[in-house]
Amino acid sequence: MRWRIGFACSTCFTLLSAALPAAAQSKVEIGGLLDGGIYRGFEGTARLGTIQRSNLAIAGREDLGCGLQATFRLSARFDVDSGRMEDQGSKPFWHDESTVGLQGSFGHLRLGRALSAMWSQDWKFDPWANFNRIASPAWYQWHGLTPTDRYSNNGAAEYGRMANGIFYDSPSVAGFALHLSASPQRSQAPGSPRREGRGYSASLNYDSASLSGMLAFERNGSGDKDTFAAAKYRFGAAALMAAWDYTRVAESALSARAVTLGASYQMGSTTLKAGYGRQRLQQQSNHFYSVGADYALSKRSTLYASLGRKSYAHGADSGTAFGVGMAHAF
C-alpha cells in the first residue's frame, strides 16, 4: 500500500509533490472480536447470540518520517449468530469507526466517524468495559438521555459515535491526556428544514500505575448535555472503580443521575467481577446488580459467565438475566 503524500525531513512539515511516490514503510492489520453465547434476557426470553460486541476491523499506518504517521481505521460490527450487520438497516456499514488521520509528537488527529471523546474513554471505569448486555451497569445507566447524535443512524439515535467528526487525542503529560471531538456540521432531523446545533465532547484523563481518573462533558447537536466523572484504583490483583453520570434533555425538564460501583479481582487465569448501579430518573430510583467471571483460555480466547438483575421503579423493566459465552480476539 502506498500513500502519495510525504514530508521532507529537512523541513519536516513541507509538502512534497503528490506525484512522487512515498518511500516510507506501511503496515496494514486485520483484527477484531468474535463473541457468542447462550443467555436469558431480562424479559425472560432464551437466546443464542452476541452478549458482547463482535467486530471486524482493518487498520493501517505509514511512517512518513520526522516522527509522523498517516493512519486509518475501518471497523464494522455484526451479530455472530446470524452473520448480519448489527441493527441492519439503521446503522451504516462501518458503524464502529471509519477514520483517516495523522499522528505525531503533537498527538493523534483523525477525521470521520468514531467514538466521541467521552465514550472513547469511559469504558475503563466499568468492570465489563460498557460491553456486556447482561452484567454491565454502564450499559443500562450511563448517558441514557443524551445520545451523541439523535439522527445519524439513518434518522435514528446513535449512542457513542460521532459522524462527520474531528477527533484529537493529546500525548500524555505527567499522566494527563486530553481528548476532544466535534462536528463542523449542524444536526438535522430527516425531512426537517431546521438545522440544530453542532455536537462536541471533551475528556480529561489521568493514568498512573495505581490510579486513573476522568472528567468529561458532552453536548449533542440537539442541545442535550452529559457530565461524567469517574475514578479507578488498582492494588495488587484487585481494582475498585466508581462513576457518576448526569444527563439532561434540552427541550424538557427530563434528567437522570447515575452512580455506579465496580470491582474486579484476578486469580491466575480467572477474573471475578461485581457491579452496582443506582439511577435517579426524575423521582424514580432504578437499581442494577451484577456479578460475573472470566476465564482466560489464552491471551486471545476467554470463557465467561454473567448474571445481572434490574430492579426498576417501572416494574415492566425489571428482571434477571444470565448467560455464558466465549470471546476470541484476533
Side-chain angles (χ1 to χ4, degrees), residues 30-35 55 298-302 326-330:
I30 298 177
L33 179 76
L34 297 175
D35 176 88
N55 68 81
S298 69
K299 290 183 178 180
R300 296 180 177 272
S301 298
T302 303
M326 178 177 179
H328 174 74
F330 60 95

Side-chain angles (χ1 to χ4, degrees), residues 141 257-261 276-280 285-288:
Q141 297 198 330
R257 289 176 173 84
V259 175
T260 62
L261 304 173
Y276 168 74
R278 179 183 183 274
Q279 181 190 66
R280 186 70 171 172
S285 290
N286 301 320
H287 300 268
F288 189 91

Side-chain angles (χ1 to χ4, degrees), residues 4-277:
R4 305 191 69 85
I5 296 179
F7 287 84
C9 285
S10 59
T11 57
C12 280
F13 292 100
T14 302
L15 188 65
L16 291 178
S17 169
L20 295 176
Q25 293 184 346
S26 62
K27 181 179 181 181
V28 177
E29 296 179 339
I30 298 177
L33 179 76
L34 297 175
D35 176 88
I38 301 172
Y39 66 98
R40 177 187 184 272
F42 289 102
E43 78 290 351
T45 303
R47 301 176 182 274
L48 188 150
T50 298
I51 296 175
Q52 302 178 130
R53 300 295 199 189
S54 296
N55 68 81
L56 174 67
I58 305 171
R61 60 183 61 244
E62 181 182 22
D63 186 356
L64 301 174
C66 305
L68 291 175
Q69 291 185 327
T71 69
F72 78 89
R73 182 176 177 84
L74 300 171
S75 181
R77 298 206 320 207
F78 59 94
D79 296 323
V80 72
D81 55 311
S82 65
R84 296 182 179 225
M85 303 310 298
E86 184 179 282
D87 295 334
Q88 190 174 28
S90 64
K91 295 181 179 179
F93 182 83
W94 298 112
H95 164 63
D96 211 19
E97 182 171 335
S98 56
T99 59
V100 62
L102 191 66
Q103 188 170 17
S105 60
F106 60 88
H108 194 185
L109 183 67
R110 294 169 295 149
L111 304 177
R113 174 189 173 99
L115 285 168
S116 71
M118 181 177 71
W119 283 77
S120 68
Q121 303 298 315
D122 65 8
W123 59 271
K124 303 172 184 178
F125 303 94
D126 176 71
W128 289 269
N130 199 359
F131 202 59
N132 183 304
R133 70 174 71 244
I134 292 175
S136 170
W139 185 304
Y140 293 100
Q141 297 198 330
W142 291 355
H143 324 314
L145 301 177
T146 54
T148 304
D149 192 297
R150 290 198 173 276
Y151 316 114
S152 64
N153 284 341
N154 294 315
E158 165 58 40
Y159 288 84
R161 285 160 185 80
M162 179 177 288
N164 310 304
I166 303 171
F167 307 88
Y168 172 71
D169 301 294
S170 80
S172 178
V173 179
F176 289 93
L178 180 65
H179 307 273
L180 303 172
S181 61
S183 175
Q185 295 187 207
R186 292 183 179 273
S187 182
Q188 186 176 14
S192 172
R194 184 175 72 91
R195 289 186 176 271
E196 300 179 356
R198 298 180 178 90
Y200 58 85
S201 182
S203 177
L204 179 64
N205 288 69
Y206 174 78
D207 286 291
S208 69
S210 59
L211 182 65
S212 297
M214 173 177 173
L215 180 63
F217 177 80
E218 181 166 302
R219 180 192 184 279
N220 63 24
S222 303
D224 309 322
K225 299 176 181 179
D226 196 326
T227 304
F228 181 82
K232 179 189 232 179
Y233 181 65
R234 293 170 288 272
F235 52 100
L240 298 175
M241 58 206 79
W244 174 83
D245 181 64
Y246 175 49
T247 65
R248 51 214 183 273
V249 179
E251 296 184 356
S252 71
L254 190 62
S255 65
R257 289 176 173 84
V259 175
T260 62
L261 304 173
S264 64
Y265 184 77
Q266 187 170 355
M267 302 183 302
S269 298
T270 302
T271 301
L272 304 178
K273 301 178 180 181
Y276 168 74

